Amino acid sequence: MTSSTEKKRTTRARGDRLIPAGLLALSAVPVAAGMARVTELAGGAQITPENARFFASPVPVVVHIVSVTLFSVLGAFQFAPGLRRRRLAWHRAAGRVLVPAGVAAALSGLWMTVFYPWPADTGAVLTGVRLVFGSAMVASMVLGFAAIRRRRVAAHRAWMIRGYAIGLGAGTQVLTQLPWMLMVGPLGKPSKAVLMTAGWLINLAVAEWIIRRRPTGRGAGPTARAVARPVAGAVR
């Protein structure tokens, strides 16, 4: 019994380190690129055909970069099981930041998709895909928030995982696009649409696998109920 308990503790401790570390690594490239874009805008870099749309209307892209960075980095630690159990107050406080950050990230992304001029490698297909996944992210955040208000912890968990998976799509898209760029060359409209869609679909497939590893019923155990009660009371 002691050996089994120690193994479980070791596994949980390893998960508390490796899961957030993996998610942070996945988001590192898009976060770094976003920070470089903000620096470019703040420093008054030379305007080129590639960045002219950002200089013409900088607020949406800055809001998008800041909110996505916050959502990706802070959200990574919500997947550490031990942290949720030991620091429930932190989990709830972080959740109150993550929901508006996720909504802001999705809405600003939708705004840029609709109102920014399309780059040369972006066509109607990719624009439509971005609108679908951006809207799905907003819906996931809203449904996750609504679920925790009704103390439906399993549903809250499922929708927040889906929303985070969509928000982290840019990280996986680096992995889907980089091999093509190295082996074939610059992306065109069809290839970019396919590879970016693949990134989002991969994330959602992993999200659904994680969701289905645990029961989805209303009974979520004492730890989950401890999270739900104060959150539900705070948002009423």
Side-chain angles (χ1 to χ4, degrees):
M1 289 293 291
T2 302
S3 177
S4 176
T5 302
E6 289 177 353
K7 287 181 180 179
K8 289 180 180 179
R9 288 177 179 173
T10 301
T11 301
R12 289 171 180 172
R14 187 180 298 115
D16 285 346
R17 295 191 302 270
L18 295 181
I19 294 173
L23 294 173
L24 291 173
L26 186 62
S27 61
V29 172
V31 166
M35 292 299 102
R37 179 71 69 190
V38 171
T39 302
E40 178 184 65
L41 293 171
Q46 181 180 358
I47 298 177
T48 66
E50 288 73 25
N51 65 20
R53 64 191 187 277
F54 302 126
F55 279 96
S57 182
V59 173
V61 69
V62 172
V63 170
H64 185 71
I65 291 168
V66 172
S67 56
V68 163
T69 299
L70 181 61
F71 186 73
S72 301
V73 173
L74 188 60
F77 295 95
Q78 297 289 71
F79 289 86
L83 183 62
R84 288 199 308 270
R85 285 191 298 269
R86 294 191 304 269
R87 300 185 179 181
L88 296 180
W90 185 92
H91 178 77
R92 296 192 296 267
R96 295 188 185 105
V97 175
L98 285 169
V99 170
V103 171
L107 290 178
S108 58
L110 289 169
W111 195 99
M112 291 188 292
T113 299
V114 173
F115 294 107
Y116 275 179
W118 293 353
D121 58 1
T122 299
V125 174
L126 178 54
T127 298
V129 170
R130 282 173 167 162
L131 293 175
V132 168
F133 281 103
S135 300
M137 184 172 172
V138 174
S140 296
M141 295 293 100
V142 172
L143 290 169
F145 177 75
I148 202 61
R149 286 195 64 183
R150 296 193 296 271
R151 302 186 183 182
R152 295 178 57 200
V153 177
H156 165 74
R157 174 180 174 273
W159 285 115
M160 295 304 293
I161 290 174
R162 292 179 184 119
Y164 188 78
I166 296 171
L168 212 62
T172 307
Q173 286 158 1
V174 173
L175 303 179
T176 59
Q177 294 179 81
L178 186 59
W180 178 283
M181 296 171 68
L182 292 175
M183 294 185 293
V184 179
L187 296 168
K189 291 180 182 179
S191 57
K192 186 170 183 177
V194 170
L195 294 172
M196 289 193 72
T197 303
W200 275 310
L201 292 178
I202 290 169
N203 280 16
L204 282 177
V206 173
E208 292 301 322
W209 175 75
I210 293 171
I211 291 166
R212 282 159 175 71
R213 287 180 64 197
R214 294 184 180 179
T216 57
R218 293 181 62 88
T223 301
R225 288 193 294 270
V227 173
R229 281 194 294 267
V231 173
V235 297
R236 282 176 179 168

PDB file of all heavy atoms in Angstrom, residues 27-54:
ATOM      1  N   SER A  27       3.209  26.703 -26.679  1.00  0.00           N
ATOM      2  CA  SER A  27       2.801  28.093 -26.926  1.00  0.00           C
ATOM      3  C   SER A  27       3.984  29.047 -27.061  1.00  0.00           C
ATOM      4  O   SER A  27       3.785  30.230 -27.346  1.00  0.00           O
ATOM      5  CB  SER A  27       1.896  28.569 -25.785  1.00  0.00           C
ATOM      6  OG  SER A  27       2.573  28.528 -24.543  1.00  0.00           O
ATOM      7  N   ALA A  28       5.214  28.544 -26.885  1.00  0.00           N
ATOM      8  CA  ALA A  28       6.382  29.431 -26.836  1.00  0.00           C
ATOM      9  C   ALA A  28       6.594  30.202 -28.130  1.00  0.00           C
ATOM     10  O   ALA A  28       6.841  31.414 -28.112  1.00  0.00           O
ATOM     11  CB  ALA A  28       7.631  28.619 -26.499  1.00  0.00           C
ATOM     12  N   VAL A  29       6.502  29.521 -29.274  1.00  0.00           N
ATOM     13  CA  VAL A  29       6.783  30.191 -30.547  1.00  0.00           C
ATOM     14  C   VAL A  29       5.749  31.269 -30.864  1.00  0.00           C
ATOM     15  O   VAL A  29       6.113  32.416 -31.156  1.00  0.00           O
ATOM     16  CB  VAL A  29       6.894  29.162 -31.697  1.00  0.00           C
ATOM     17  CG1 VAL A  29       6.988  29.871 -33.046  1.00  0.00           C
ATOM     18  CG2 VAL A  29       8.103  28.271 -31.483  1.00  0.00           C
ATOM     19  N   PRO A  30       4.438  30.969 -30.816  1.00  0.00           N
ATOM     20  CA  PRO A  30       3.474  32.044 -31.091  1.00  0.00           C
ATOM     21  C   PRO A  30       3.519  33.171 -30.071  1.00  0.00           C
ATOM     22  O   PRO A  30       3.317  34.336 -30.429  1.00  0.00           O
ATOM     23  CB  PRO A  30       2.113  31.328 -31.080  1.00  0.00           C
ATOM     24  CG  PRO A  30       2.353  30.014 -30.443  1.00  0.00           C
ATOM     25  CD  PRO A  30       3.772  29.654 -30.698  1.00  0.00           C
ATOM     26  N   VAL A  31       3.789  32.861 -28.803  1.00  0.00           N
ATOM     27  CA  VAL A  31       3.898  33.919 -27.801  1.00  0.00           C
ATOM     28  C   VAL A  31       5.094  34.812 -28.109  1.00  0.00           C
ATOM     29  O   VAL A  31       5.010  36.052 -28.056  1.00  0.00           O
ATOM     30  CB  VAL A  31       4.004  33.319 -26.384  1.00  0.00           C
ATOM     31  CG1 VAL A  31       4.458  34.375 -25.383  1.00  0.00           C
ATOM     32  CG2 VAL A  31       2.666  32.733 -25.956  1.00  0.00           C
ATOM     33  N   ALA A  32       6.221  34.194 -28.456  1.00  0.00           N
ATOM     34  CA  ALA A  32       7.410  34.974 -28.798  1.00  0.00           C
ATOM     35  C   ALA A  32       7.161  35.827 -30.043  1.00  0.00           C
ATOM     36  O   ALA A  32       7.575  37.000 -30.106  1.00  0.00           O
ATOM     37  CB  ALA A  32       8.596  34.046 -29.021  1.00  0.00           C
ATOM     38  N   ALA A  33       6.488  35.257 -31.035  1.00  0.00           N
ATOM     39  CA  ALA A  33       6.178  36.016 -32.245  1.00  0.00           C
ATOM     40  C   ALA A  33       5.248  37.184 -31.936  1.00  0.00           C
ATOM     41  O   ALA A  33       5.403  38.284 -32.490  1.00  0.00           O
ATOM     42  CB  ALA A  33       5.535  35.096 -33.285  1.00  0.00           C
ATOM     43  N   GLY A  34       4.301  36.954 -31.038  1.00  0.00           N
ATOM     44  CA  GLY A  34       3.392  38.029 -30.649  1.00  0.00           C
ATOM     45  C   GLY A  34       4.108  39.154 -29.934  1.00  0.00           C
ATOM     46  O   GLY A  34       3.866  40.340 -30.191  1.00  0.00           O
ATOM     47  N   MET A  35       5.000  38.795 -29.020  1.00  0.00           N
ATOM     48  CA  MET A  35       5.768  39.827 -28.314  1.00  0.00           C
ATOM     49  C   MET A  35       6.648  40.622 -29.282  1.00  0.00           C
ATOM     50  O   MET A  35       6.814  41.838 -29.134  1.00  0.00           O
ATOM     51  CB  MET A  35       6.611  39.174 -27.232  1.00  0.00           C
ATOM     52  CG  MET A  35       5.821  38.576 -26.073  1.00  0.00           C
ATOM     53  SD  MET A  35       4.825  39.824 -25.169  1.00  0.00           S
ATOM     54  CE  MET A  35       3.176  39.472 -25.843  1.00  0.00           C
ATOM     55  N   ALA A  36       7.188  39.922 -30.281  1.00  0.00           N
ATOM     56  CA  ALA A  36       7.991  40.620 -31.290  1.00  0.00           C
ATOM     57  C   ALA A  36       7.126  41.592 -32.079  1.00  0.00           C
ATOM     58  O   ALA A  36       7.576  42.701 -32.415  1.00  0.00           O
ATOM     59  CB  ALA A  36       8.643  39.599 -32.230  1.00  0.00           C
ATOM     60  N   ARG A  37       5.892  41.202 -32.362  1.00  0.00           N
ATOM     61  CA  ARG A  37       4.981  42.095 -33.085  1.00  0.00           C
ATOM     62  C   ARG A  37       4.645  43.330 -32.251  1.00  0.00           C
ATOM     63  O   ARG A  37       4.622  44.452 -32.770  1.00  0.00           O
ATOM     64  CB  ARG A  37       3.697  41.341 -33.441  1.00  0.00           C
ATOM     65  CG  ARG A  37       2.656  42.172 -34.177  1.00  0.00           C
ATOM     66  CD  ARG A  37       3.104  42.459 -35.589  1.00  0.00           C
ATOM     67  NE  ARG A  37       3.096  41.247 -36.401  1.00  0.00           N
ATOM     68  CZ  ARG A  37       3.623  41.174 -37.623  1.00  0.00           C
ATOM     69  NH1 ARG A  37       4.221  42.228 -38.147  1.00  0.00           N
ATOM     70  NH2 ARG A  37       3.574  40.032 -38.301  1.00  0.00           N
ATOM     71  N   VAL A  38       4.385  43.146 -30.962  1.00  0.00           N
ATOM     72  CA  VAL A  38       4.104  44.282 -30.091  1.00  0.00           C
ATOM     73  C   VAL A  38       5.306  45.217 -30.029  1.00  0.00           C
ATOM     74  O   VAL A  38       5.164  46.454 -30.088  1.00  0.00           O
ATOM     75  CB  VAL A  38       3.710  43.799 -28.676  1.00  0.00           C
ATOM     76  CG1 VAL A  38       3.634  44.972 -27.712  1.00  0.00           C
ATOM     77  CG2 VAL A  38       2.377  43.058 -28.714  1.00  0.00           C
ATOM     78  N   THR A  39       6.486  44.651 -29.917  1.00  0.00           N
ATOM     79  CA  THR A  39       7.715  45.461 -29.901  1.00  0.00           C
ATOM     80  C   THR A  39       7.868  46.242 -31.201  1.00  0.00           C
ATOM     81  O   THR A  39       8.254  47.418 -31.205  1.00  0.00           O
ATOM     82  CB  THR A  39       8.942  44.561 -29.690  1.00  0.00           C
ATOM     83  OG1 THR A  39       8.789  43.840 -28.459  1.00  0.00           O
ATOM     84  CG2 THR A  39      10.220  45.378 -29.642  1.00  0.00           C
ATOM     85  N   GLU A  40       7.541  45.593 -32.307  1.00  0.00           N
ATOM     86  CA  GLU A  40       7.609  46.230 -33.611  1.00  0.00           C
ATOM     87  C   GLU A  40       6.661  47.435 -33.683  1.00  0.00           C
ATOM     88  O   GLU A  40       7.034  48.520 -34.149  1.00  0.00           O
ATOM     89  CB  GLU A  40       7.253  45.220 -34.692  1.00  0.00           C
ATOM     90  CG  GLU A  40       7.238  45.759 -36.110  1.00  0.00           C
ATOM     91  CD  GLU A  40       6.776  44.712 -37.101  1.00  0.00           C
ATOM     92  OE1 GLU A  40       5.599  44.299 -37.017  1.00  0.00           O
ATOM     93  OE2 GLU A  40       7.585  44.315 -37.961  1.00  0.00           O
ATOM     94  N   LEU A  41       5.452  47.247 -33.193  1.00  0.00           N
ATOM     95  CA  LEU A  41       4.474  48.329 -33.218  1.00  0.00           C
ATOM     96  C   LEU A  41       4.872  49.466 -32.282  1.00  0.00           C
ATOM     97  O   LEU A  41       4.729  50.645 -32.611  1.00  0.00           O
ATOM     98  CB  LEU A  41       3.093  47.787 -32.840  1.00  0.00           C
ATOM     99  CG  LEU A  41       2.444  46.816 -33.837  1.00  0.00           C
ATOM    100  CD1 LEU A  41       1.193  46.200 -33.241  1.00  0.00           C
ATOM    101  CD2 LEU A  41       2.111  47.536 -35.139  1.00  0.00           C
ATOM    102  N   ALA A  42       5.370  49.104 -31.108  1.00  0.00           N
ATOM    103  CA  ALA A  42       5.747  50.121 -30.128  1.00  0.00           C
ATOM    104  C   ALA A  42       6.991  50.881 -30.555  1.00  0.00           C
ATOM    105  O   ALA A  42       7.145  52.072 -30.251  1.00  0.00           O
ATOM    106  CB  ALA A  42       5.983  49.473 -28.763  1.00  0.00           C
ATOM    107  N   GLY A  43       7.884  50.191 -31.264  1.00  0.00           N
ATOM    108  CA  GLY A  43       9.151  50.821 -31.645  1.00  0.00           C
ATOM    109  C   GLY A  43       9.110  51.579 -32.946  1.00  0.00           C
ATOM    110  O   GLY A  43      10.127  52.154 -33.358  1.00  0.00           O
ATOM    111  N   GLY A  44       7.953  51.584 -33.617  1.00  0.00           N
ATOM    112  CA  GLY A  44       7.849  52.318 -34.867  1.00  0.00           C
ATOM    113  C   GLY A  44       8.698  51.744 -35.976  1.00  0.00           C
ATOM    114  O   GLY A  44       9.433  52.465 -36.666  1.00  0.00           O
ATOM    115  N   ALA A  45       8.634  50.417 -36.153  1.00  0.00           N
ATOM    116  CA  ALA A  45       9.421  49.760 -37.197  1.00  0.00           C
ATOM    117  C   ALA A  45       8.957  50.197 -38.583  1.00  0.00           C
ATOM    118  O   ALA A  45       7.889  50.801 -38.753  1.00  0.00           O
ATOM    119  CB  ALA A  45       9.284  48.243 -37.054  1.00  0.00           C
ATOM    120  N   GLN A  46       9.757  49.888 -39.559  1.00  0.00           N
ATOM    121  CA  GLN A  46       9.424  50.262 -40.931  1.00  0.00           C
ATOM    122  C   GLN A  46       8.145  49.554 -41.370  1.00  0.00           C
ATOM    123  O   GLN A  46       7.969  48.363 -41.135  1.00  0.00           O
ATOM    124  CB  GLN A  46      10.572  49.882 -41.875  1.00  0.00           C
ATOM    125  CG  GLN A  46      10.319  50.265 -43.325  1.00  0.00           C
ATOM    126  CD  GLN A  46      11.483  49.878 -44.226  1.00  0.00           C
ATOM    127  OE1 GLN A  46      12.490  49.359 -43.750  1.00  0.00           O
ATOM    128  NE2 GLN A  46      11.354  50.142 -45.509  1.00  0.00           N
ATOM    129  N   ILE A  47       7.276  50.285 -42.029  1.00  0.00           N
ATOM    130  CA  ILE A  47       6.016  49.719 -42.499  1.00  0.00           C
ATOM    131  C   ILE A  47       6.251  49.017 -43.825  1.00  0.00           C
ATOM    132  O   ILE A  47       6.845  49.575 -44.754  1.00  0.00           O
ATOM    133  CB  ILE A  47       4.946  50.818 -42.654  1.00  0.00           C
ATOM    134  CG1 ILE A  47       4.673  51.469 -41.295  1.00  0.00           C
ATOM    135  CG2 ILE A  47       3.662  50.232 -43.227  1.00  0.00           C
ATOM    136  CD1 ILE A  47       3.694  52.615 -41.359  1.00  0.00           C
ATOM    137  N   THR A  48       5.801  47.773 -43.892  1.00  0.00           N
ATOM    138  CA  THR A  48       5.942  46.949 -45.092  1.00  0.00           C
ATOM    139  C   THR A  48       4.560  46.448 -45.504  1.00  0.00           C
ATOM    140  O   THR A  48       3.591  46.551 -44.731  1.00  0.00           O
ATOM    141  CB  THR A  48       6.862  45.750 -44.823  1.00  0.00           C
ATOM    142  OG1 THR A  48       6.215  44.880 -43.867  1.00  0.00           O
ATOM    143  CG2 THR A  48       8.206  46.207 -44.257  1.00  0.00           C
ATOM    144  N   PRO A  49       4.434  45.881 -46.708  1.00  0.00           N
ATOM    145  CA  PRO A  49       3.138  45.311 -47.095  1.00  0.00           C
ATOM    146  C   PRO A  49       2.640  44.230 -46.135  1.00  0.00           C
ATOM    147  O   PRO A  49       1.431  44.039 -45.974  1.00  0.00           O
ATOM    148  CB  PRO A  49       3.416  44.734 -48.492  1.00  0.00           C
ATOM    149  CG  PRO A  49       4.537  45.552 -49.014  1.00  0.00           C
ATOM    150  CD  PRO A  49       5.392  45.867 -47.820  1.00  0.00           C
ATOM    151  N   GLU A  50       3.586  43.522 -45.462  1.00  0.00           N
ATOM    152  CA  GLU A  50       3.201  42.438 -44.550  1.00  0.00           C
ATOM    153  C   GLU A  50       2.655  42.959 -43.220  1.00  0.00           C
ATOM    154  O   GLU A  50       1.809  42.310 -42.592  1.00  0.00           O
ATOM    155  CB  GLU A  50       4.398  41.522 -44.284  1.00  0.00           C
ATOM    156  CG  GLU A  50       4.796  40.649 -45.460  1.00  0.00           C
ATOM    157  CD  GLU A  50       5.474  41.440 -46.569  1.00  0.00           C
ATOM    158  OE1 GLU A  50       6.064  42.511 -46.264  1.00  0.00           O
ATOM    159  OE2 GLU A  50       5.413  41.005 -47.736  1.00  0.00           O
ATOM    160  N   ASN A  51       3.134  44.101 -42.746  1.00  0.00           N
ATOM    161  CA  ASN A  51       2.693  44.592 -41.433  1.00  0.00           C
ATOM    162  C   ASN A  51       1.859  45.855 -41.497  1.00  0.00           C
ATOM    163  O   ASN A  51       1.478  46.392 -40.457  1.00  0.00           O
ATOM    164  CB  ASN A  51       3.898  44.814 -40.508  1.00  0.00           C
ATOM    165  CG  ASN A  51       4.829  45.926 -41.004  1.00  0.00           C
ATOM    166  OD1 ASN A  51       4.460  46.779 -41.803  1.00  0.00           O
ATOM    167  ND2 ASN A  51       6.065  45.915 -40.519  1.00  0.00           N
ATOM    168  N   ALA A  52       1.569  46.336 -42.701  1.00  0.00           N
ATOM    169  CA  ALA A  52       0.848  47.619 -42.826  1.00  0.00           C
ATOM    170  C   ALA A  52      -0.506  47.576 -42.147  1.00  0.00           C
ATOM    171  O   ALA A  52      -0.938  48.560 -41.526  1.00  0.00           O
ATOM    172  CB  ALA A  52       0.695  47.968 -44.305  1.00  0.00           C
ATOM    173  N   ARG A  53      -1.195  46.425 -42.226  1.00  0.00           N
ATOM    174  CA  ARG A  53      -2.526  46.336 -41.627  1.00  0.00           C
ATOM    175  C   ARG A  53      -2.471  46.480 -40.113  1.00  0.00           C
ATOM    176  O   ARG A  53      -3.406  46.991 -39.494  1.00  0.00           O
ATOM    177  CB  ARG A  53      -3.210  45.025 -42.029  1.00  0.00           C
ATOM    178  CG  ARG A  53      -2.522  43.751 -41.534  1.00  0.00           C
ATOM    179  CD  ARG A  53      -3.123  42.523 -42.210  1.00  0.00           C
ATOM    180  NE  ARG A  53      -2.633  41.270 -41.679  1.00  0.00           N
ATOM    181  CZ  ARG A  53      -1.488  40.706 -42.063  1.00  0.00           C
ATOM    182  NH1 ARG A  53      -0.717  41.301 -42.965  1.00  0.00           N
ATOM    183  NH2 ARG A  53      -1.112  39.544 -41.551  1.00  0.00           N
ATOM    184  N   PHE A  54      -1.385  46.046 -39.499  1.00  0.00           N
ATOM    185  CA  PHE A  54      -1.253  46.162 -38.048  1.00  0.00           C
ATOM    186  C   PHE A  54      -0.980  47.604 -37.630  1.00  0.00           C
ATOM    187  O   PHE A  54      -1.500  48.079 -36.622  1.00  0.00           O
ATOM    188  CB  PHE A  54      -0.135  45.255 -37.549  1.00  0.00           C
ATOM    189  CG  PHE A  54      -0.321  43.809 -37.898  1.00  0.00           C
ATOM    190  CD1 PHE A  54       0.669  43.100 -38.558  1.00  0.00           C
ATOM    191  CD2 PHE A  54      -1.511  43.149 -37.586  1.00  0.00           C
ATOM    192  CE1 PHE A  54       0.500  41.765 -38.883  1.00  0.00           C
ATOM    193  CE2 PHE A  54      -1.697  41.820 -37.906  1.00  0.00           C
ATOM    194  CZ  PHE A  54      -0.684  41.121 -38.567  1.00  0.00           C
TER     195      PHE A  54
END
